[in-house]
Amino acid sequence: MIKRVVLFLVTNLAVIFVLNITMRLLGIDTLLAESGGGLNLNALLVFAAVIGFGGAFISLAMSKWSAKMMTGAKVIDSPRSEAEQWLVQTEHRQARQAGIGNPEVAIYNAPEVNAFATGMNKNNALVAVSTGLLNSMSRDEAEAVLGHEVTHVANGDMVTLALIQGVVNTFVIFLSRIIGNIVDKTVFKTERGHGPAFWITSIIAELVLGILASIIVMWFSRRREFRADVGGAALAGREKMIAALQRLKQAHTPSQLPDQIKAFGISGGQGWGIKRLFMSHPPLDERIEALRAQR
């Protein structure tokens, strides 16, 4: 049910890289150097925020287009079958219940049982389901999946994710430059300007801090899955939502979504220890138990 996180994360990293290079080519990075070769922290923070939030929101703006391109999802403009008619009517009914505009409804060809929602505006979003889901799930189960995705849209999860990603991007860029400057000045004794050690250390620090920052983003992603399950239960019924999650567990098919979108799919994986910190979805057993525990 979520096809959003890896698409967003990878696109975001690519955009940050392009913006970073662009800022350097334009000479904006020279604002960060004082005459003594130190860092102007105010200018650095502005620089980091422009790149960090710029990358996050450009990725968000591209999310619908990217998802369609990467999955081959076809929007249902005019239903050609009873199944497509049911899909559109169900999704539009749930959108009205959730108080949002009707998202585009699409189908993408894949054997996996999965679905996703994306878009930067809750009144102009996209909800797509796989052919595998349509072929494997009952109408009640598919209705719950749609409710889960509509809830993601109604909750504004993509915008919130963009804000969180923008904040962590900003601090990663900001702290990596500070670390690079410290190493350059104290270890390699560069007196004026920045030596090669500054750029090499900054790049390494950015990679390491980026990995740590992704733990924060993944934690939020797991929290929103629980909330979307609750929303799906409210729109379609708790037993239907539980049945849908159980069907996903039974299907147990590896996600065929592109790596850039895998975290936006409804299904998820299993993980323990350190691996769990980088999971975009909680284990299905935990999601089922959370719904059963509701009163």
Side-chain angles (χ1 to χ4, degrees):
M1 293 177 193
I2 300 186
K3 232 185 173 183
R4 286 167 283 200
V5 165
V6 186
L7 161 68
F8 186 79
L9 292 178
V10 172
T11 304
N12 184 65
L13 289 174
V15 171
I16 288 176
F17 177 77
V18 172
L19 286 176
N20 208 334
I21 296 300
T22 301
M23 298 283 267
R24 290 182 184 179
L25 290 176
L26 292 175
I28 297 175
D29 59 328
T30 59
L31 294 174
L32 307 181
E34 295 180 325
S35 60
L39 290 179
N40 181 326
L41 295 184
N42 290 330
L44 174 59
L45 185 57
V46 171
F47 174 82
V50 168
I51 295 180
F53 279 95
F57 281 97
I58 289 174
S59 298
L60 178 61
M62 294 170 58
S63 61
K64 276 179 61 175
W65 175 83
S66 299
K68 291 176 185 177
M69 291 293 293
M70 298 180 105
T71 63
K74 304 297 183 184
V75 175
I76 303 174
D77 294 316
S78 299
R80 294 176 298 177
S81 66
E82 187 274 335
E84 290 188 357
Q85 183 69 39
W86 175 86
L87 196 64
V88 172
Q89 288 177 347
T90 301
E91 189 269 350
H92 286 181
R93 171 175 55 79
Q94 292 180 340
R96 288 194 298 273
Q97 288 178 257
I100 61 173
N102 291 333
E104 292 181 317
V105 184
I107 298 174
Y108 66 98
N109 187 28
E112 62 170 341
V113 182
N114 217 334
F116 69 93
T118 193
M120 68 180 300
N121 187 327
K122 65 175 60 179
N123 293 316
N124 185 25
L126 169 73
V127 173
V129 300
S130 69
T131 52
L133 182 147
L134 293 176
N135 294 331
S136 302
M137 283 191 165
S138 68
R139 288 284 172 89
D140 284 349
E141 293 163 351
E143 180 185 355
V145 170
L146 289 174
H148 175 105
E149 296 307 331
V150 167
T151 300
H152 273 308
V153 176
N155 288 346
D157 283 343
M158 283 301 290
V159 175
T160 306
L161 180 64
L163 289 171
I164 292 173
Q165 188 70 58
V167 170
V168 297
N169 287 346
T170 297
F171 279 96
V172 165
I173 295 168
F174 183 77
L175 293 176
S176 66
R177 268 53 173 190
I178 290 178
I179 293 170
N181 190 65
I182 291 172
V183 171
D184 194 37
K185 302 303 180 189
T186 61
V187 178
F188 291 88
K189 310 298 183 182
T190 302
E191 295 182 358
R192 295 189 61 84
H194 296 310
F198 171 81
W199 303 110
I200 294 171
T201 305
S202 294
I203 292 171
I204 295 173
E206 193 168 326
L207 291 173
V208 174
L209 291 172
I211 292 171
L212 296 176
S214 68
I215 294 175
I216 298 173
V217 179
M218 292 300 101
W219 176 86
F220 170 75
S221 180
R222 292 193 296 274
R223 293 301 94 196
R224 70 180 183 171
E225 287 307 306
F226 285 119
R227 293 195 300 269
D229 287 342
V230 172
L235 291 173
R238 185 173 67 166
E239 295 306 315
K240 292 180 182 179
M241 192 71 245
I242 291 173
L245 295 175
Q246 289 174 328
R247 179 71 67 183
L248 288 171
K249 183 180 175 182
Q250 292 169 2
H252 196 61
T253 54
S255 176
Q256 301 299 311
L257 292 176
D259 288 342
Q260 294 89 331
I261 309 176
K262 197 169 291 182
F264 295 113
I266 183 171
S267 57
Q270 298 290 332
W272 296 269
I274 293 178
K275 181 180 178 182
R276 184 181 177 88
L277 296 175
F278 296 93
M279 290 173 57
S280 62
H281 290 59
L284 287 167
D285 284 336
E286 291 185 16
R287 294 166 66 182
I288 292 169
E289 288 306 312
L291 284 175
R292 284 176 172 162
Q294 281 193 319
R295 293 291 181 268

mmCIF file of all heavy atoms in Angstrom, residues 182-226:
data_model
loop_
_atom_site.group_PDB
_atom_site.id
_atom_site.type_symbol
_atom_site.label_atom_id
_atom_site.label_comp_id
_atom_site.label_asym_id
_atom_site.label_seq_id
_atom_site.Cartn_x
_atom_site.Cartn_y
_atom_site.Cartn_z
ATOM 1 N N ILE A 182 36.942 21.011 10.539
ATOM 2 C CA ILE A 182 37.731 20.673 11.727
ATOM 3 C C ILE A 182 38.912 19.785 11.360
ATOM 4 O O ILE A 182 40.052 20.017 11.785
ATOM 5 C CB ILE A 182 36.839 19.988 12.777
ATOM 6 C CG1 ILE A 182 35.836 20.996 13.361
ATOM 7 C CG2 ILE A 182 37.689 19.384 13.902
ATOM 8 C CD1 ILE A 182 34.798 20.372 14.264
ATOM 9 N N VAL A 183 38.655 18.760 10.549
ATOM 10 C CA VAL A 183 39.729 17.852 10.141
ATOM 11 C C VAL A 183 40.765 18.595 9.310
ATOM 12 O O VAL A 183 41.981 18.425 9.490
ATOM 13 C CB VAL A 183 39.146 16.658 9.343
ATOM 14 C CG1 VAL A 183 40.269 15.821 8.725
ATOM 15 C CG2 VAL A 183 38.277 15.797 10.242
ATOM 16 N N ASP A 184 40.282 19.452 8.404
ATOM 17 C CA ASP A 184 41.185 20.192 7.528
ATOM 18 C C ASP A 184 42.106 21.119 8.316
ATOM 19 O O ASP A 184 43.307 21.231 8.020
ATOM 20 C CB ASP A 184 40.347 21.000 6.527
ATOM 21 C CG ASP A 184 41.177 21.537 5.365
ATOM 22 O OD1 ASP A 184 42.094 20.825 4.912
ATOM 23 O OD2 ASP A 184 40.898 22.661 4.923
ATOM 24 N N LYS A 185 41.549 21.787 9.347
ATOM 25 C CA LYS A 185 42.323 22.775 10.096
ATOM 26 C C LYS A 185 43.181 22.163 11.203
ATOM 27 O O LYS A 185 44.309 22.611 11.438
ATOM 28 C CB LYS A 185 41.386 23.830 10.724
ATOM 29 C CG LYS A 185 40.518 24.567 9.718
ATOM 30 C CD LYS A 185 41.346 25.256 8.656
ATOM 31 C CE LYS A 185 40.437 25.974 7.664
ATOM 32 N NZ LYS A 185 41.191 26.485 6.501
ATOM 33 N N THR A 186 42.641 21.170 11.904
ATOM 34 C CA THR A 186 43.353 20.637 13.067
ATOM 35 C C THR A 186 44.283 19.477 12.723
ATOM 36 O O THR A 186 45.348 19.330 13.331
ATOM 37 C CB THR A 186 42.358 20.179 14.144
ATOM 38 O OG1 THR A 186 41.530 19.139 13.627
ATOM 39 C CG2 THR A 186 41.488 21.342 14.605
ATOM 40 N N VAL A 187 43.892 18.645 11.769
ATOM 41 C CA VAL A 187 44.714 17.482 11.421
ATOM 42 C C VAL A 187 45.707 17.822 10.315
ATOM 43 O O VAL A 187 46.896 17.513 10.404
ATOM 44 C CB VAL A 187 43.832 16.289 11.007
ATOM 45 C CG1 VAL A 187 44.701 15.095 10.601
ATOM 46 C CG2 VAL A 187 42.889 15.896 12.150
ATOM 47 N N PHE A 188 45.209 18.479 9.249
ATOM 48 C CA PHE A 188 46.073 18.756 8.102
ATOM 49 C C PHE A 188 46.642 20.180 8.115
ATOM 50 O O PHE A 188 47.390 20.556 7.210
ATOM 51 C CB PHE A 188 45.306 18.489 6.797
ATOM 52 C CG PHE A 188 45.025 17.033 6.572
ATOM 53 C CD1 PHE A 188 43.872 16.442 7.078
ATOM 54 C CD2 PHE A 188 45.930 16.232 5.894
ATOM 55 C CE1 PHE A 188 43.608 15.095 6.884
ATOM 56 C CE2 PHE A 188 45.681 14.891 5.697
ATOM 57 C CZ PHE A 188 44.526 14.314 6.200
ATOM 58 N N LYS A 189 46.257 20.970 9.115
ATOM 59 C CA LYS A 189 46.855 22.286 9.347
ATOM 60 C C LYS A 189 46.740 23.247 8.162
ATOM 61 O O LYS A 189 47.634 24.069 7.929
ATOM 62 C CB LYS A 189 48.343 22.144 9.724
ATOM 63 C CG LYS A 189 48.620 21.145 10.839
ATOM 64 C CD LYS A 189 47.948 21.547 12.143
ATOM 65 C CE LYS A 189 48.304 20.566 13.261
ATOM 66 N NZ LYS A 189 47.618 20.896 14.538
ATOM 67 N N THR A 190 45.665 23.149 7.412
ATOM 68 C CA THR A 190 45.448 24.103 6.329
ATOM 69 C C THR A 190 45.168 25.471 6.930
ATOM 70 O O THR A 190 44.284 25.620 7.773
ATOM 71 C CB THR A 190 44.252 23.672 5.438
ATOM 72 O OG1 THR A 190 44.515 22.371 4.921
ATOM 73 C CG2 THR A 190 44.039 24.651 4.294
ATOM 74 N N GLU A 191 45.923 26.479 6.495
ATOM 75 C CA GLU A 191 45.817 27.793 7.121
ATOM 76 C C GLU A 191 44.856 28.725 6.390
ATOM 77 O O GLU A 191 44.169 29.528 7.010
ATOM 78 C CB GLU A 191 47.203 28.440 7.201
ATOM 79 C CG GLU A 191 48.166 27.680 8.127
ATOM 80 C CD GLU A 191 49.513 28.363 8.237
ATOM 81 O OE1 GLU A 191 49.704 29.398 7.560
ATOM 82 O OE2 GLU A 191 50.363 27.865 8.979
ATOM 83 N N ARG A 192 44.832 28.667 5.080
ATOM 84 C CA ARG A 192 43.941 29.540 4.320
ATOM 85 C C ARG A 192 43.138 28.720 3.339
ATOM 86 O O ARG A 192 43.641 27.804 2.711
ATOM 87 C CB ARG A 192 44.745 30.611 3.568
ATOM 88 C CG ARG A 192 45.470 31.589 4.488
ATOM 89 C CD ARG A 192 46.068 32.744 3.682
ATOM 90 N NE ARG A 192 45.037 33.514 2.981
ATOM 91 C CZ ARG A 192 44.343 34.492 3.552
ATOM 92 N NH1 ARG A 192 44.536 34.798 4.824
ATOM 93 N NH2 ARG A 192 43.455 35.174 2.859
ATOM 94 N N GLY A 193 41.850 29.107 3.215
ATOM 95 C CA GLY A 193 40.995 28.380 2.297
ATOM 96 C C GLY A 193 40.734 26.962 2.781
ATOM 97 O O GLY A 193 40.880 26.646 3.967
ATOM 98 N N HIS A 194 40.363 26.110 1.846
ATOM 99 C CA HIS A 194 40.083 24.721 2.172
ATOM 100 C C HIS A 194 40.988 23.824 1.342
ATOM 101 O O HIS A 194 41.064 23.953 0.118
ATOM 102 C CB HIS A 194 38.622 24.365 1.864
ATOM 103 C CG HIS A 194 37.634 25.125 2.696
ATOM 104 N ND1 HIS A 194 37.721 25.216 4.058
ATOM 105 C CD2 HIS A 194 36.518 25.826 2.342
ATOM 106 C CE1 HIS A 194 36.713 25.929 4.521
ATOM 107 N NE2 HIS A 194 35.976 26.327 3.496
ATOM 108 N N GLY A 195 41.628 22.881 2.021
ATOM 109 C CA GLY A 195 42.454 21.918 1.317
ATOM 110 C C GLY A 195 41.644 20.708 0.882
ATOM 111 O O GLY A 195 40.450 20.605 1.186
ATOM 112 N N PRO A 196 42.277 19.779 0.162
ATOM 113 C CA PRO A 196 41.574 18.571 -0.283
ATOM 114 C C PRO A 196 40.934 17.796 0.868
ATOM 115 O O PRO A 196 39.887 17.162 0.694
ATOM 116 C CB PRO A 196 42.685 17.750 -0.951
ATOM 117 C CG PRO A 196 43.709 18.766 -1.359
ATOM 118 C CD PRO A 196 43.669 19.820 -0.295
ATOM 119 N N ALA A 197 41.552 17.848 2.049
ATOM 120 C CA ALA A 197 41.017 17.106 3.190
ATOM 121 C C ALA A 197 39.609 17.576 3.556
ATOM 122 O O ALA A 197 38.778 16.786 4.017
ATOM 123 C CB ALA A 197 41.941 17.254 4.395
ATOM 124 N N PHE A 198 39.336 18.876 3.367
ATOM 125 C CA PHE A 198 38.007 19.402 3.685
ATOM 126 C C PHE A 198 36.947 18.728 2.828
ATOM 127 O O PHE A 198 35.916 18.250 3.328
ATOM 128 C CB PHE A 198 37.976 20.914 3.477
ATOM 129 C CG PHE A 198 36.592 21.505 3.572
ATOM 130 C CD1 PHE A 198 36.024 21.762 4.807
ATOM 131 C CD2 PHE A 198 35.856 21.791 2.423
ATOM 132 C CE1 PHE A 198 34.745 22.300 4.900
ATOM 133 C CE2 PHE A 198 34.582 22.318 2.509
ATOM 134 C CZ PHE A 198 34.025 22.579 3.753
ATOM 135 N N TRP A 199 37.195 18.671 1.523
ATOM 136 C CA TRP A 199 36.188 18.108 0.612
ATOM 137 C C TRP A 199 36.069 16.606 0.786
ATOM 138 O O TRP A 199 34.954 16.068 0.801
ATOM 139 C CB TRP A 199 36.555 18.463 -0.827
ATOM 140 C CG TRP A 199 36.676 19.934 -1.045
ATOM 141 C CD1 TRP A 199 37.805 20.660 -1.289
ATOM 142 C CD2 TRP A 199 35.609 20.895 -0.982
ATOM 143 N NE1 TRP A 199 37.517 21.995 -1.393
ATOM 144 C CE2 TRP A 199 36.180 22.170 -1.215
ATOM 145 C CE3 TRP A 199 34.238 20.793 -0.769
ATOM 146 C CZ2 TRP A 199 35.416 23.336 -1.231
ATOM 147 C CZ3 TRP A 199 33.477 21.963 -0.776
ATOM 148 C CH2 TRP A 199 34.076 23.201 -1.010
ATOM 149 N N ILE A 200 37.189 15.916 0.941
ATOM 150 C CA ILE A 200 37.132 14.458 1.110
ATOM 151 C C ILE A 200 36.414 14.095 2.409
ATOM 152 O O ILE A 200 35.525 13.230 2.426
ATOM 153 C CB ILE A 200 38.553 13.860 1.096
ATOM 154 C CG1 ILE A 200 39.190 14.051 -0.289
ATOM 155 C CG2 ILE A 200 38.523 12.380 1.464
ATOM 156 C CD1 ILE A 200 40.664 13.678 -0.345
ATOM 157 N N THR A 201 36.792 14.775 3.493
ATOM 158 C CA THR A 201 36.158 14.485 4.783
ATOM 159 C C THR A 201 34.681 14.851 4.764
ATOM 160 O O THR A 201 33.842 14.122 5.320
ATOM 161 C CB THR A 201 36.871 15.259 5.910
ATOM 162 O OG1 THR A 201 38.263 14.948 5.897
ATOM 163 C CG2 THR A 201 36.286 14.887 7.264
ATOM 164 N N SER A 202 34.338 15.953 4.113
ATOM 165 C CA SER A 202 32.934 16.370 4.043
ATOM 166 C C SER A 202 32.086 15.334 3.322
ATOM 167 O O SER A 202 30.962 15.022 3.746
ATOM 168 C CB SER A 202 32.813 17.725 3.327
ATOM 169 O OG SER A 202 33.414 18.751 4.075
ATOM 170 N N ILE A 203 32.625 14.799 2.236
ATOM 171 C CA ILE A 203 31.881 13.787 1.474
ATOM 172 C C ILE A 203 31.677 12.529 2.308
ATOM 173 O O ILE A 203 30.571 11.962 2.364
ATOM 174 C CB ILE A 203 32.620 13.460 0.162
ATOM 175 C CG1 ILE A 203 32.576 14.665 -0.788
ATOM 176 C CG2 ILE A 203 32.001 12.235 -0.508
ATOM 177 C CD1 ILE A 203 33.455 14.517 -2.014
ATOM 178 N N ILE A 204 32.745 12.080 2.977
ATOM 179 C CA ILE A 204 32.634 10.875 3.819
ATOM 180 C C ILE A 204 31.655 11.111 4.959
ATOM 181 O O ILE A 204 30.793 10.268 5.256
ATOM 182 C CB ILE A 204 34.018 10.466 4.364
ATOM 183 C CG1 ILE A 204 34.929 10.047 3.214
ATOM 184 C CG2 ILE A 204 33.874 9.339 5.389
ATOM 185 C CD1 ILE A 204 36.363 9.792 3.630
ATOM 186 N N ALA A 205 31.765 12.269 5.612
ATOM 187 C CA ALA A 205 30.867 12.593 6.722
ATOM 188 C C ALA A 205 29.418 12.681 6.243
ATOM 189 O O ALA A 205 28.488 12.256 6.940
ATOM 190 C CB ALA A 205 31.291 13.910 7.371
ATOM 191 N N GLU A 206 29.211 13.225 5.053
ATOM 192 C CA GLU A 206 27.857 13.345 4.513
ATOM 193 C C GLU A 206 27.238 11.975 4.275
ATOM 194 O O GLU A 206 26.050 11.756 4.550
ATOM 195 C CB GLU A 206 27.882 14.158 3.218
ATOM 196 C CG GLU A 206 26.519 14.607 2.748
ATOM 197 C CD GLU A 206 26.589 15.639 1.640
ATOM 198 O OE1 GLU A 206 27.521 16.463 1.654
ATOM 199 O OE2 GLU A 206 25.708 15.606 0.761
ATOM 200 N N LEU A 207 28.048 11.041 3.792
ATOM 201 C CA LEU A 207 27.552 9.680 3.574
ATOM 202 C C LEU A 207 27.189 9.013 4.891
ATOM 203 O O LEU A 207 26.123 8.403 5.024
ATOM 204 C CB LEU A 207 28.602 8.854 2.828
ATOM 205 C CG LEU A 207 28.859 9.229 1.367
ATOM 206 C CD1 LEU A 207 30.045 8.443 0.825
ATOM 207 C CD2 LEU A 207 27.613 8.960 0.521
ATOM 208 N N VAL A 208 28.072 9.122 5.880
ATOM 209 C CA VAL A 208 27.827 8.481 7.180
ATOM 210 C C VAL A 208 26.623 9.117 7.880
ATOM 211 O O VAL A 208 25.732 8.412 8.374
ATOM 212 C CB VAL A 208 29.078 8.577 8.078
ATOM 213 C CG1 VAL A 208 28.773 8.052 9.481
ATOM 214 C CG2 VAL A 208 30.229 7.787 7.468
ATOM 215 N N LEU A 209 26.588 10.439 7.918
ATOM 216 C CA LEU A 209 25.474 11.126 8.561
ATOM 217 C C LEU A 209 24.167 10.877 7.817
ATOM 218 O O LEU A 209 23.096 10.809 8.428
ATOM 219 C CB LEU A 209 25.755 12.629 8.631
ATOM 220 C CG LEU A 209 26.880 13.061 9.572
ATOM 221 C CD1 LEU A 209 27.179 14.541 9.396
ATOM 222 C CD2 LEU A 209 26.520 12.761 11.027
ATOM 223 N N GLY A 210 24.247 10.728 6.485
ATOM 224 C CA GLY A 210 23.057 10.442 5.693
ATOM 225 C C GLY A 210 22.448 9.098 6.058
ATOM 226 O O GLY A 210 21.225 8.938 6.107
ATOM 227 N N ILE A 211 23.307 8.117 6.313
ATOM 228 C CA ILE A 211 22.824 6.803 6.734
ATOM 229 C C ILE A 211 22.137 6.897 8.092
ATOM 230 O O ILE A 211 21.056 6.336 8.308
ATOM 231 C CB ILE A 211 23.989 5.795 6.782
ATOM 232 C CG1 ILE A 211 24.501 5.521 5.360
ATOM 233 C CG2 ILE A 211 23.551 4.483 7.451
ATOM 234 C CD1 ILE A 211 25.781 4.702 5.322
ATOM 235 N N LEU A 212 22.759 7.625 9.017
ATOM 236 C CA LEU A 212 22.162 7.798 10.342
ATOM 237 C C LEU A 212 20.841 8.565 10.252
ATOM 238 O O LEU A 212 19.863 8.240 10.939
ATOM 239 C CB LEU A 212 23.142 8.528 11.260
ATOM 240 C CG LEU A 212 24.451 7.803 11.572
ATOM 241 C CD1 LEU A 212 25.366 8.674 12.420
ATOM 242 C CD2 LEU A 212 24.176 6.474 12.288
ATOM 243 N N ALA A 213 20.811 9.575 9.389
ATOM 244 C CA ALA A 213 19.587 10.370 9.237
ATOM 245 C C ALA A 213 18.442 9.535 8.672
ATOM 246 O O ALA A 213 17.270 9.761 9.001
ATOM 247 C CB ALA A 213 19.853 11.568 8.329
ATOM 248 N N SER A 214 18.786 8.553 7.823
ATOM 249 C CA SER A 214 17.739 7.718 7.238
ATOM 250 C C SER A 214 17.007 6.909 8.300
ATOM 251 O O SER A 214 15.845 6.531 8.107
ATOM 252 C CB SER A 214 18.328 6.793 6.173
ATOM 253 O OG SER A 214 19.172 5.816 6.759
ATOM 254 N N ILE A 215 17.658 6.653 9.438
ATOM 255 C CA ILE A 215 16.999 5.942 10.540
ATOM 256 C C ILE A 215 15.810 6.755 11.045
ATOM 257 O O ILE A 215 14.739 6.211 11.355
ATOM 258 C CB ILE A 215 18.000 5.666 11.683
ATOM 259 C CG1 ILE A 215 19.082 4.687 11.205
ATOM 260 C CG2 ILE A 215 17.286 5.126 12.916
ATOM 261 C CD1 ILE A 215 20.179 4.454 12.229
ATOM 262 N N ILE A 216 15.988 8.082 11.112
ATOM 263 C CA ILE A 216 14.899 8.961 11.549
ATOM 264 C C ILE A 216 13.750 8.912 10.554
ATOM 265 O O ILE A 216 12.572 8.797 10.925
ATOM 266 C CB ILE A 216 15.412 10.404 11.698
ATOM 267 C CG1 ILE A 216 16.508 10.467 12.759
ATOM 268 C CG2 ILE A 216 14.270 11.357 12.034
ATOM 269 C CD1 ILE A 216 17.193 11.816 12.852
ATOM 270 N N VAL A 217 14.070 8.987 9.272
ATOM 271 C CA VAL A 217 13.046 8.977 8.233
ATOM 272 C C VAL A 217 12.293 7.648 8.245
ATOM 273 O O VAL A 217 11.059 7.604 8.130
ATOM 274 C CB VAL A 217 13.673 9.235 6.849
ATOM 275 C CG1 VAL A 217 12.607 9.188 5.764
ATOM 276 C CG2 VAL A 217 14.379 10.585 6.834
ATOM 277 N N MET A 218 13.028 6.545 8.406
ATOM 278 C CA MET A 218 12.384 5.235 8.425
ATOM 279 C C MET A 218 11.503 5.059 9.661
ATOM 280 O O MET A 218 10.463 4.408 9.602
ATOM 281 C CB MET A 218 13.437 4.127 8.373
ATOM 282 C CG MET A 218 14.182 4.034 7.046
ATOM 283 S SD MET A 218 13.097 3.699 5.629
ATOM 284 C CE MET A 218 12.959 5.347 4.924
ATOM 285 N N TRP A 219 11.914 5.630 10.781
ATOM 286 C CA TRP A 219 11.081 5.562 11.989
ATOM 287 C C TRP A 219 9.743 6.235 11.723
ATOM 288 O O TRP A 219 8.680 5.690 12.071
ATOM 289 C CB TRP A 219 11.788 6.254 13.158
ATOM 290 C CG TRP A 219 10.935 6.289 14.400
ATOM 291 C CD1 TRP A 219 10.826 5.325 15.362
ATOM 292 C CD2 TRP A 219 10.039 7.350 14.792
ATOM 293 N NE1 TRP A 219 9.925 5.715 16.335
ATOM 294 C CE2 TRP A 219 9.427 6.956 16.013
ATOM 295 C CE3 TRP A 219 9.709 8.587 14.241
ATOM 296 C CZ2 TRP A 219 8.502 7.758 16.678
ATOM 297 C CZ3 TRP A 219 8.779 9.383 14.901
ATOM 298 C CH2 TRP A 219 8.201 8.965 16.104
ATOM 299 N N PHE A 220 9.778 7.417 11.116
ATOM 300 C CA PHE A 220 8.527 8.094 10.792
ATOM 301 C C PHE A 220 7.700 7.265 9.824
ATOM 302 O O PHE A 220 6.469 7.166 9.963
ATOM 303 C CB PHE A 220 8.790 9.474 10.191
ATOM 304 C CG PHE A 220 7.552 10.099 9.620
ATOM 305 C CD1 PHE A 220 6.579 10.633 10.444
ATOM 306 C CD2 PHE A 220 7.333 10.120 8.242
ATOM 307 C CE1 PHE A 220 5.414 11.192 9.923
ATOM 308 C CE2 PHE A 220 6.183 10.661 7.711
ATOM 309 C CZ PHE A 220 5.223 11.203 8.552
ATOM 310 N N SER A 221 8.344 6.671 8.841
ATOM 311 C CA SER A 221 7.628 5.860 7.863
ATOM 312 C C SER A 221 6.892 4.712 8.538
ATOM 313 O O SER A 221 5.744 4.414 8.205
ATOM 314 C CB SER A 221 8.604 5.312 6.811
ATOM 315 O OG SER A 221 7.923 4.536 5.856
ATOM 316 N N ARG A 222 7.528 4.065 9.514
ATOM 317 C CA ARG A 222 6.871 2.959 10.227
ATOM 318 C C ARG A 222 5.683 3.466 11.039
ATOM 319 O O ARG A 222 4.634 2.831 11.093
ATOM 320 C CB ARG A 222 7.864 2.241 11.133
ATOM 321 C CG ARG A 222 8.939 1.473 10.379
ATOM 322 C CD ARG A 222 9.700 0.535 11.290
ATOM 323 N NE ARG A 222 10.447 1.219 12.335
ATOM 324 C CZ ARG A 222 11.685 1.695 12.189
ATOM 325 N NH1 ARG A 222 12.304 1.583 11.019
ATOM 326 N NH2 ARG A 222 12.304 2.282 13.204
ATOM 327 N N ARG A 223 5.842 4.643 11.681
ATOM 328 C CA ARG A 223 4.730 5.193 12.469
ATOM 329 C C ARG A 223 3.526 5.488 11.581
ATOM 330 O O ARG A 223 2.381 5.260 11.957
ATOM 331 C CB ARG A 223 5.160 6.497 13.164
ATOM 332 C CG ARG A 223 6.213 6.371 14.239
ATOM 333 C CD ARG A 223 5.789 5.463 15.373
ATOM 334 N NE ARG A 223 6.258 4.095 15.171
ATOM 335 C CZ ARG A 223 5.812 3.026 15.811
ATOM 336 N NH1 ARG A 223 4.856 3.151 16.705
ATOM 337 N NH2 ARG A 223 6.294 1.837 15.569
ATOM 338 N N ARG A 224 3.767 6.033 10.393
ATOM 339 C CA ARG A 224 2.644 6.405 9.539
ATOM 340 C C ARG A 224 1.916 5.183 8.998
ATOM 341 O O ARG A 224 0.732 5.255 8.674
ATOM 342 C CB ARG A 224 3.120 7.308 8.399
ATOM 343 C CG ARG A 224 3.960 6.621 7.373
ATOM 344 C CD ARG A 224 4.402 7.556 6.276
ATOM 345 N NE ARG A 224 5.145 6.820 5.281
ATOM 346 C CZ ARG A 224 5.520 7.321 4.118
ATOM 347 N NH1 ARG A 224 5.223 8.561 3.820
ATOM 348 N NH2 ARG A 224 6.190 6.597 3.263
ATOM 349 N N GLU A 225 2.618 4.038 8.905
ATOM 350 C CA GLU A 225 1.940 2.820 8.469
ATOM 351 C C GLU A 225 0.889 2.389 9.482
ATOM 352 O O GLU A 225 -0.209 1.974 9.107
ATOM 353 C CB GLU A 225 2.956 1.697 8.247
ATOM 354 C CG GLU A 225 3.803 1.874 7.004
ATOM 355 C CD GLU A 225 2.951 2.095 5.772
ATOM 356 O OE1 GLU A 225 2.051 1.281 5.489
ATOM 357 O OE2 GLU A 225 3.191 3.095 5.075
ATOM 358 N N PHE A 226 1.208 2.473 10.753
ATOM 359 C CA PHE A 226 0.209 2.145 11.771
ATOM 360 C C PHE A 226 -0.993 3.083 11.665
ATOM 361 O O PHE A 226 -2.147 2.644 11.763
ATOM 362 C CB PHE A 226 0.826 2.252 13.169
ATOM 363 C CG PHE A 226 1.742 1.111 13.532
ATOM 364 C CD1 PHE A 226 3.080 1.347 13.818
ATOM 365 C CD2 PHE A 226 1.277 -0.194 13.588
ATOM 366 C CE1 PHE A 226 3.934 0.306 14.162
ATOM 367 C CE2 PHE A 226 2.115 -1.246 13.936
ATOM 368 C CZ PHE A 226 3.452 -0.995 14.223
#
